[in-house]
Amino acid sequence: MAAASVPNLAKAKTRPGPVTHIRNGEYSAASRALALGSYFISGCMAINASQVLGAPLYLINEDWYNAWIAFTKQSWGVLTTSMTQCWAPTVVRVSGHKSIRGELLRTTDGNLLSNFPERLILIANHQIYTDWLYLWWIAYTNGMHGRIYVILKESLRRIPIIGWGMQFSQFIFLKRKWEKDKDRLAAHLQKFNSNPKAPMWLMLFPEGTNLHPVTRKASKKWADKNGIPDMQHQLLPRSRGLQFCIQQLRKTVHYVYDCTIAYEGVPTGEYASEIFTIQAAYFGGKPPKSVNMYWRRFDVWSIPVDNDKAFDNWLRARWIEKDQLLEHYQKTGRFPADTGVDVLPDGTKRIGAGYIETEIKSNKWYEYLQVFAPVGLLALVLYMFYGGLPKRFMENIGQQVAQQSQAEGPQNLEHMIESAPRIVEVDSTNASTVGAPSSKIAVTTQPPAVAKKAIRKLPPKQKGARKAPGKAKPGGGAKAKKLDVKHTKPPKLDAKPAATTNAASKTPETKPDASDAPKKLEVRSTQDLSKAKPTAALGNAPPKLSPKADPPPKLSAKPKAEQVAKPTVKKHKSVSFGNSKANRSQPKKLEIKPKSGVSALPDNGKGAAAR
């Protein structure tokens, strides 16, 4: 296999490669770290937010949820590809065994196009921490970067942001304790079998960890203990996990793909994990000069998965072959490449790709927008529904605060609610003549809540009546009836006032000033008040109800007869009300516009009671 591809090595070396890294000093380490960190963290948070937004789909339809998670994993593949392209650019050199002829293709613009199956198990040796990023790019070239699943160690799920995304991506985390890992692994694999037509790439590293001086010593110790030869360029594989995966998936997965990966620039006796760290590759601008991959394919039916010892020997044999490939790379700088041709029975030819060299880059420059598309779409929808966010939102909050402050201005909430005008019906009599007919005068008051408050404060014995201040009129023995105060809503009178009035209505009217707001007095009477002698007139200002339970009208204690003014009475037609009694005539509206300097009704010592 290696000898057939050696003659092609000289031709492959003549092809110049692109620039592999940014020159030292062009950008400072701080500026690179700031730019890379901002892009990576914002991209990871956008992907996490997209995954959270799609989480409710799991309760509706699991296939929809899996499709959404596949989209977010595609975003992760685009994020890492664009990040590698900008901050750690490198060349990828791909070749393969004859078993994958026709599956590695070169496009017209020189990029790699993979044509692997939609369902497979992918295994590889583990050299550095970023091995899986380069393998994810291979899935990107195959259009499977949204359907890849990785088996990782348990500690990686605790990484903030990245670990959350891995859990949403349905990665499989193992604690390296088979008694606890077996049930968890079986549950995940059963989900893969539940839909055998769903695309799925299951990626795992049988070595369990990357090559490092510490792990290298542990591998050698285990090899000496079991009496088996140790590896020179990699660790000994662990067979139990891979065997279990093949056993569970062999009915729905038909191939196992093996990738041997090596990095250019690693001296003999040193380790790539110590040279090409994440800090050196992405923050320091010193990525590998080239990433070299060699691919092989094995049929599942040819693998002895039902015999533990036979499978362990089979896997170790494959790792010995991989160690020989790595030794070949150390000597020549290239893996072998296949250029043979297979002719199928239908006449189709499958040609070996040889070496395909390309850069890790996105197919389209604008693909990175996919990472932020769901979050941007959500922001656009909110803007369409709520308008100029956040400006309009803050304005609405300001208006609500202003309205609340105005509503809480009055100390008494009852005063605020009942601040609208009300009609107080005052039951009065003609004090000048004993036995004069009574009448009800509807007086508009503002606000009525003050009257209620005054009534509540009165002692129980005084709620009925209270003496008005002043002395009784000398020589007058007539008693005024108690004022009946009732709060009623003002009736809507549609009747127009009558044109005829009595002699008392010929008194010239006094027009009040603009500052003295005239009040409309509605008179509800059981008889014609034009025949009765009015003995009192109200002033220009409306009666005030004192909090100290004073009666609504201000009554003077010493009225004089010459000060009594004759009010102008305008008779209204009676208006029928549904709640009026049958034996009571309908009320008439009386507008009283008194002259200046009039006094109130005489009082015999008993005032009106406000209710």
Side-chain angles (χ1 to χ4, degrees):
M1 177 172 54
S5 57
V6 170
N8 296 326
L9 295 178
K11 296 181 180 179
K13 289 182 179 180
T14 59
R15 181 176 179 178
V19 179
T20 58
H21 62 278
I22 299 176
R23 295 179 180 178
N24 297 332
E26 185 175 353
Y27 298 104
S28 63
S31 62
R32 289 178 60 87
L34 179 61
L36 175 62
S38 301
Y39 179 69
F40 179 70
I41 294 176
S42 61
C44 291
M45 294 181 66
I47 293 173
N48 285 160
S50 302
Q51 292 171 334
V52 172
L53 290 175
L57 292 175
Y58 187 82
L59 304 176
I60 302 174
N61 189 302
E62 189 172 355
D63 292 336
W64 295 355
Y65 173 76
N66 292 333
W68 180 260
I69 294 300
F71 173 79
T72 60
K73 288 196 286 187
Q74 287 180 354
S75 301
W76 171 259
V78 172
L79 176 66
T80 55
T81 299
S82 59
M83 188 173 64
T84 303
Q85 180 181 358
C86 295
W87 283 277
T90 186
V91 173
V92 177
R93 187 178 298 112
V94 181
S95 62
H97 185 256
K98 64 179 181 179
S99 58
I100 59 168
R101 286 177 181 173
E103 296 183 5
L104 294 176
L105 306 173
R106 181 187 293 110
T107 62
T108 55
D109 54 357
N111 293 327
L112 173 66
L113 177 62
S114 302
N115 191 25
F116 294 167
E118 290 186 346
R119 292 181 66 88
L120 57 85
I121 298 174
L122 173 60
I123 60 176
N125 60 313
H126 206 352
Q127 296 284 305
I128 62 177
Y129 286 108
T130 55
D131 286 334
W132 60 282
L133 292 180
Y134 299 118
L135 294 174
W136 205 311
W137 177 77
I138 294 294
Y140 171 79
T141 63
N142 202 98
M144 292 294 297
H145 52 303
R147 298 289 183 172
I148 191 167
Y149 301 87
V150 187
I151 297 179
L152 302 169
K153 52 186 178 182
E154 179 71 18
S155 59
L156 296 178
R157 72 183 302 169
R158 302 186 183 93
I159 302 176
I161 302 178
I162 300 177
W164 306 337
M166 290 179 178
Q167 296 179 50
F168 271 111
S169 301
Q170 303 173 352
F171 286 0
I172 304 173
F173 299 93
L174 301 180
K175 297 181 179 180
R176 296 182 179 178
K177 295 181 179 180
W178 184 243
E179 294 77 11
K180 296 181 179 180
D181 294 336
K182 183 177 180 180
D183 294 337
R184 181 185 300 181
L185 183 58
H188 282 83
L189 298 178
Q190 184 61 33
K191 290 183 179 180
F192 298 151
N193 285 327
S194 61
N195 190 0
K197 295 183 179 180
M200 183 273 300
W201 279 20
L202 179 62
M203 181 170 63
L204 68 157
F205 298 95
E207 294 169 297
T209 186
N210 61 334
L211 183 63
H212 189 268
V214 176
T215 58
R216 185 73 188 82
K217 292 179 181 179
S219 178
K220 187 177 185 307
K221 182 179 180 180
W222 189 85
D224 296 340
K225 180 180 179 181
N226 291 274
I228 57 177
D230 191 19
M231 304 293 168
Q232 298 295 323
H233 307 284
Q234 53 189 351
L235 304 177
L236 284 171
R238 302 181 181 184
S239 60
R240 182 176 295 177
L242 177 60
Q243 180 184 2
F244 186 78
C245 291
I246 298 175
Q247 286 176 343
Q248 297 295 318
L249 298 176
R250 59 183 169 180
K251 293 183 179 180
T252 59
V253 176
H254 305 295
Y255 301 103
V256 174
Y257 276 71
D258 170 60
C259 178
T260 304
I261 188 169
Y263 298 93
E264 182 181 351
V266 181
T268 304
E270 297 187 15
Y271 299 92
S273 59
E274 294 183 327
I275 300 174
F276 303 120
T277 62
I278 296 178
Q279 181 178 359
Y282 288 91
F283 295 99
K286 297 179 180 180
K289 294 181 179 180
S290 65
V291 180
N292 299 265
M293 298 181 182
Y294 184 82
W295 290 89
R296 297 184 295 175
R297 187 182 73 178
F298 303 95
D299 294 329
V300 170
W301 60 265
S302 64
I303 303 174
V305 295
D306 295 327
N307 189 311
D308 296 346
K309 186 176 181 180
F311 180 81
D312 186 69
N313 292 333
W314 177 88
L315 182 61
R316 194 181 308 115
R318 303 290 82 76
W319 242 248
I320 292 174
E321 294 172 357
K322 291 167 71 69
D323 206 52
Q324 293 174 356
L325 290 170
L326 290 171
E327 180 67 22
H328 182 275
Y329 176 82
Q330 288 287 336
K331 294 179 178 179
T332 62
R334 300 291 179 96
F335 282 124
D338 173 58
T339 56
V341 178
D342 286 341
V343 180
L344 301 180
D346 59 354
T348 305
K349 294 182 179 181
R350 295 191 307 179
I351 304 175
Y355 291 100
I356 300 178
E357 291 185 3
T358 184
E359 291 181 314
I360 294 181
K361 60 182 179 179
S362 303
N363 294 331
K364 305 293 182 181
W365 67 268
Y366 52 80
E367 280 186 329
Y368 77 96
L369 297 176
Q370 173 183 337
V371 178
F372 307 94
V375 178
L377 181 61
L378 176 62
L380 180 61
V381 171
L382 293 177
Y383 180 82
M384 291 175 62
F385 275 95
Y386 295 98
L389 290 177
K391 181 178 180 181
R392 183 173 297 181
F393 178 74
M394 298 304 297
E395 290 178 354
N396 293 337
I397 292 179
Q399 292 177 2
Q400 293 179 3
V401 172
Q403 292 176 1
Q404 185 177 2
S405 62
Q406 292 178 2
E408 294 178 354
Q411 298 180 356
N412 193 347
L413 184 60
E414 183 179 347
H415 179 83
M416 177 190 68
I417 298 174
E418 299 183 0
S419 59
R422 296 293 186 271
I423 301 299
V424 180
E425 294 183 356
V426 182
D427 194 5
S428 61
T429 59
N430 191 339
S432 62
T433 306
V434 179
S438 62
S439 62
K440 291 185 178 180
I441 304 175
V443 182
T444 303
T445 61
Q446 176 74 19
V450 179
K452 282 189 174 183
K453 184 177 179 181
I455 293 173
R456 285 197 301 271
K457 289 186 177 181
L458 284 177
K461 295 182 180 180
Q462 297 180 356
K463 287 188 177 181
R466 185 173 180 178
K467 293 183 179 181
K471 297 180 180 180
K473 179 180 179 181
K479 296 182 179 180
K481 292 184 178 181
K482 297 179 180 180
L483 299 179
D484 185 12
V485 180
K486 295 181 180 180
H487 293 281
T488 61
K489 294 184 179 180
K492 298 181 179 179
L493 302 180
D494 297 334
K496 297 182 180 180
T500 59
T501 57
N502 56 10
S505 64
K506 296 180 181 180
T507 305
E509 298 179 359
T510 303
K511 296 182 179 180
D513 298 337
S515 59
D516 300 330
K519 309 300 177 181
K520 293 183 179 181
L521 304 181
E522 296 182 0
V523 179
R524 302 178 63 182
S525 176
T526 58
Q527 66 180 15
D528 190 3
L529 295 180
S530 62
K531 299 179 181 180
K533 183 178 179 181
T535 59
L538 299 178
N540 295 333
K544 297 182 179 179
L545 301 181
S546 173
K548 298 181 180 180
D550 291 338
K554 294 183 179 180
L555 304 179
S556 175
K558 297 180 180 181
K560 294 183 180 181
E562 62 272 14
Q563 293 179 345
V564 177
K566 296 181 179 181
T568 301
V569 181
K570 293 183 179 180
K571 186 169 63 176
H572 294 257
K573 293 181 180 181
S574 61
V575 181
S576 175
F577 292 89
N579 297 328
S580 300
K581 294 182 179 180
N583 59 351
R584 179 184 298 178
S585 60
Q586 301 303 324
K588 300 178 178 58
K589 186 174 181 180
L590 176 63
E591 293 185 1
I592 302 176
K593 299 182 179 180
K595 296 181 180 180
S596 59
V598 297
S599 62
L601 292 172
D603 193 1
N604 58 351
K606 294 184 179 181
R611 294 180 184 176

